[in-house]
Amino acid sequence: MLSRTGAVDVAHRSPIACWFSGMLCCFGGAILASVLLGEPPIEPFTNNRNIVLASIIWYLIFYCPYDKFYKCCNFMPSKLFIAGMKEVTRARKIVGGVVDAHSRYRNGWLAVIAVGWAKGAGSGLIANFEQLVRGVWIPERNELLRMSYGTKVTLIGAVLFTFQQMNYLPITRHNLIFLYTMFVVSTEVAMVLFNIRHSPFAPMEVALYHMAFSWQSSSTESHFKPETSDKGESLGEQSPASLDETAEESESIKRKRTKKTD
């Protein structure tokens, strides 16, 4: 939550907006899944125990004296434990979303995947709305445009659990939950322990992009490079000849103005 742009500033300017933003981060998956299933989006807020627990943690994170609670959570053993438990909860949410959607849409595997994906990674998928609550608007950070590792691994899990639920995978649900949970927990713990910022799926993504989506372009390396600023692109696209022309035009305008003044 603290990594979100302007979160600390909003916590001091408007505690209510900061609290609502924190609740969206905690229950975004349940809210988005409720919308997709045609249920009231406020239903996740009916669980008083979860709301009180999330509110206490929110208050300690932002308003604990000398940031003691945040420093305790940022301590490496605590950080590893929290990262592991987050992935365990992610797997449980995905399975719950897939089971709920499958009970309504028996043959709609795409709808089942969408609900499982939304319930497991909803806080990232509704990040733009959560930014508006904090008074920040960064459309370039749309999760569909630049998927994070959590969103990608949740989509993979939603596909796997959907195929298992529809008996397309010859494996029991408990075994799949165990294997998936062990994979995401070990991967997340390793990323936190070794401070890995990039997605471990990056090599496979590049290979898949080259095989499936790069037939019309001569090079795909620029697709995976960080984007440059608009100002730099506009300056880089201008040729020396165009720059000379603009310079000559500006000089001619200056000469006309001096003649008028004379």
Side-chain angles (χ1 to χ4, degrees):
M1 190 186 304
L2 285 176
S3 61
R4 304 293 178 101
T5 304
V8 178
D9 183 48
V10 173
H12 294 288
R13 288 191 294 107
S14 177
I16 295 178
C18 182
W19 176 84
F20 188 62
S21 173
M23 296 305 104
L24 288 178
C25 292
C26 294
F27 305 104
I31 295 172
L32 187 57
S34 298
V35 173
L36 293 178
L37 292 174
E39 299 175 353
I42 202 172
E43 186 174 354
F45 292 95
T46 58
N47 192 326
N48 296 327
R49 185 184 63 180
N50 291 342
I51 294 296
V52 171
L53 180 60
S55 300
I56 292 174
I57 295 175
W58 163 82
Y59 182 83
L60 292 175
I61 285 290
F62 285 99
Y63 302 104
C64 183
Y66 305 104
D67 291 334
K68 293 294 184 182
F69 187 77
Y70 172 74
K71 291 177 181 178
C72 180
C73 294
N74 204 34
F75 184 54
M76 184 55 69
S78 302
K79 204 171 181 179
L80 294 175
F81 176 77
I82 294 172
M85 292 305 298
K86 181 185 70 173
E87 297 305 320
V88 173
T89 305
R90 186 195 303 277
R92 180 177 60 83
K93 289 180 178 180
I94 296 172
V95 175
V98 168
V99 172
D100 291 343
H102 186 259
S103 63
R104 303 189 182 193
Y105 310 104
R106 291 289 180 179
N107 298 320
W109 56 270
L110 187 59
V112 177
I113 291 174
V115 175
W117 188 28
K119 199 159 189 178
S123 60
L125 295 174
I126 65 171
N128 289 109
F129 178 72
E130 185 266 337
Q131 290 171 4
L132 290 177
V133 173
R134 292 184 286 108
V136 179
W137 176 242
I138 309 177
E140 297 83 9
R141 294 188 181 180
N142 189 340
E143 195 68 20
L144 295 178
L145 294 176
R146 292 182 176 275
M147 289 189 186
S148 61
Y149 163 74
T151 304
K152 293 175 183 177
V153 77
T154 303
L155 178 59
I156 294 174
V159 173
L160 293 177
F161 287 113
T162 298
F163 286 169
Q164 190 280 327
Q165 187 72 21
M166 294 183 175
N167 298 322
Y168 292 150
L169 288 180
I171 187 174
T172 62
R173 183 191 300 175
H174 297 288
N175 290 337
L176 183 59
I177 292 175
F178 175 77
L179 293 176
Y180 178 79
T181 304
M182 291 299 297
F183 170 75
V184 293
V185 169
S186 59
T187 305
E188 182 68 20
V189 169
M191 291 176 66
V192 173
L193 186 61
F194 298 105
N195 197 21
I196 300 175
R197 299 294 182 180
H198 60 275
S199 172
F201 301 129
M204 292 181 290
E205 292 174 10
V206 174
L208 180 62
Y209 185 87
H210 275 276
M211 290 187 297
F213 304 108
S214 64
W215 298 104
Q216 298 297 330
S217 59
S218 58
S219 176
T220 58
E221 293 179 356
S222 60
H223 180 78
F224 298 95
K225 290 182 179 179
E227 295 182 354
T228 57
S229 61
D230 295 336
K231 185 176 180 182
E233 289 180 353
S234 61
L235 291 176
E237 291 175 356
Q238 292 181 353
S239 61
S242 61
L243 292 176
D244 293 335
E245 291 176 0
T246 55
E248 291 176 359
E249 291 176 358
S250 61
E251 290 180 359
S252 61
I253 292 172
K254 290 180 180 179
R255 291 174 183 173
K256 290 179 181 179
R257 289 179 179 177
T258 53
K259 289 181 180 178
K260 289 181 180 180
T261 55
D262 294 335

